[in-house]
Structure formats: C-alpha cells, structure tokens
Amino acid sequence: MPRIAIAPCSKPHDYEESVRRAGGEPTIVDYKAHPAADLVSTFDGIVLAGGADVLPSIYGEAAHSTFGAAEAGRDEYEIELVRRALEADVPIFAICRGIQVLNVALGGTLMQDIPSEVANALPHDVREPRFAIAHDVWMTSGSLLERLMRERIEEGDDAPVNSRHHQAIKQLAKGLVVSATAPDGVIEAVEEPGRRFCLGVQWHPENFYRTGEFSALFEAFVKAAQR
Ligand code: MN
C-alpha cells in the first residue's frame, strides 16, 4: 500500500480519509519529526495541504495588509519538500495553500488578495459548509486534470468546486501549465506534464470524500505513488 505523507495542517481528517479511500496509507508529517531530506525516500507520495499564506518575502514581495502567516518554518519545509520530491519524481498532489507553495517553490509568484486585485471577482472564500459549491472551474482540454475528471464533467469542460482562499497564483512558475481557471480568470489548477504525478488544485477536493466528486484525483495520485 503506497505510503502517503500529508504535510502538516490543522484539520487533517478529510485528507487522510480521501487518501485511505483511494488505497493509500496516510501519515501526517511535520518538519520536526520528518526532515524533508528523509521524506522522499520514506514515502511514495506527498500531499501539500491547506493553511495560511506563504511569506511574500520568499517570492520577493512586501506583505499585503491581509497577510496571515503560516507557522514559522512551514514555508521553508514545504518548499524543500517540493524540490526534493520533484528531483526524485515522487508524486505530488498540492491542495489550496499547496498549489501556492508548489508555484513559489518553482519560482512563481502569488496574487496576495483576490478581492483587492481582481475586478468582479467571484466568491473564492466560502467557508461553511466546507463542501459548499462556490464557483465553476473551466478545465484545460487534454490536461491530466481534465482527463481524470472527464466522467464527472457534465457539459463542456466545467466543474463546480468549493473555494476557501484569498490568494492565488499570479506569475506561473516555469514548467507548470494551467489546467483550470475560474470564470473570473483566477488560476484554479496547475500541473507539470511529464511527471509521474504533479497536480495542484486551488479548491478542496478532500472535502468531498463521502460523495466522490473528486475521488478520481486521489485514486490517480495514489496509483502513481505505487512503486
Ligand atoms: Mn476559488
């Protein structure tokens, strides 16, 4: 059974449950107990989970007034995890804050506050219930994401998603391609083609483990982690 590391987060239950139902064995890791250097040889796949904002100084910007920092050390830890995982081609599934960490780790930047920076922005920060549908995403035809979601997409390339973020990718990192956008232009998913599995989504697919809307994503990730 593939061993899946889930980067530290405050509410791990739905991530663990999604990984378990997809056939993986989840472990919550943290930078004290699990140095990033050891992780890629101990685990078969890595989930980067939700959380607070990435320090803007890491991508060379001053902090916006709405900035809320992650716990000290978490940004650096997860960025190192991404680099080492990509080096070893260990599958990565990056969720919410995770897609932002992935983009920053590869040299991209973040939009620090969607309501201040996007005219006519859709509601991207709908907190309750956690599986509430906030907006659609348009998937890029032929992308890994679109191929995995094909059976669930009813019309065109749209899928309804939940949304709990006020930041998003601004400048896309080299090597990543956009695999979904919201109708207001906000980047909602990216992937790195040619990898065993490197997918980032800005929504929270783990919150749908009971109803299975996004279980194909977790299943493909765990399958790619099988050695
Ligand atoms: Mn959104």
Side-chain angles (χ1 to χ4, degrees):
M1 188 180 279
R3 293 156 301 172
I4 305 299
I6 301 174
C9 60
S10 55
K11 288 178 192 155
H13 174 270
D14 289 8
Y15 296 99
E16 293 178 287
E17 197 55 32
S18 296
V19 165
R20 250 183 233 118
R21 287 179 187 223
E25 185 191 324
T27 302
I28 310 296
V29 297
D30 86 274
Y31 57 91
K32 289 165 209 124
H34 303 88
D38 304 340
L39 215 81
V40 293
S41 52
T42 321
F43 289 92
D44 306 309
I46 291 169
V47 173
L48 296 174
D53 298 339
V54 175
L55 265 174
S57 58
I58 296 177
Y59 51 88
E61 286 190 13
H64 186 269
S65 60
T66 57
F67 172 67
E71 63 179 291
R74 184 172 166 188
D75 292 336
E76 293 79 359
Y77 177 67
E78 293 183 2
I79 285 169
E80 193 189 346
L81 264 187
V82 168
R83 290 189 180 140
R84 288 183 182 273
L86 290 177
E87 224 170 68
D89 205 16
V90 167
I92 296 177
F93 190 12
I95 294 172
C96 195
R97 163 184 157 89
I99 188 180
Q100 299 169 7
V101 169
L102 175 67
N103 189 58
V104 168
L106 295 176
T109 67
L110 302 180
M111 178 186 291
Q112 291 197 43
D113 187 53
I114 294 169
S116 334
E117 294 179 50
V118 178
N120 305 311
L122 290 163
H124 284 279
D125 206 356
V126 180
R127 299 260 139 195
E128 297 289 342
R130 60 195 195 283
F131 41 76
I133 295 303
H135 59 76
D136 274 356
V137 294
W138 299 341
M139 300 194 184
T140 308
S141 183
S143 63
L144 169 69
L145 177 69
E146 186 260 355
R147 282 180 278 126
L148 293 175
M149 290 297 298
R150 180 80 349 244
E151 284 178 19
R152 285 281 181 170
I153 299 171
E154 285 168 10
E155 208 179 306
D157 294 324
D158 304 358
V161 299
N162 57 348
S163 192
R164 295 196 298 277
H165 60 113
H166 81 113
Q167 299 201 332
I169 290 175
K170 186 158 71 180
Q171 191 176 347
L172 188 67
K174 210 174 144 206
L176 295 178
V177 298
V178 173
S179 37
T181 54
D184 58 7
V186 168
I187 293 174
E188 289 277 340
V190 298
E191 57 196 61
E192 187 167 343
R195 296 280 177 190
R196 274 163 72 198
F197 192 99
C198 179
L199 176 68
V201 298
Q202 187 60 76
W203 67 94
H204 283 276
E206 79 282 4
N207 294 148
F208 295 85
Y209 70 86
R210 285 191 195 84
T211 43
E213 279 85 341
F214 302 104
S215 54
L217 304 183
F218 284 96
E219 283 161 14
F221 164 64
V222 170
K223 195 173 165 203
Q226 201 108 42
R227 299 207 181 194

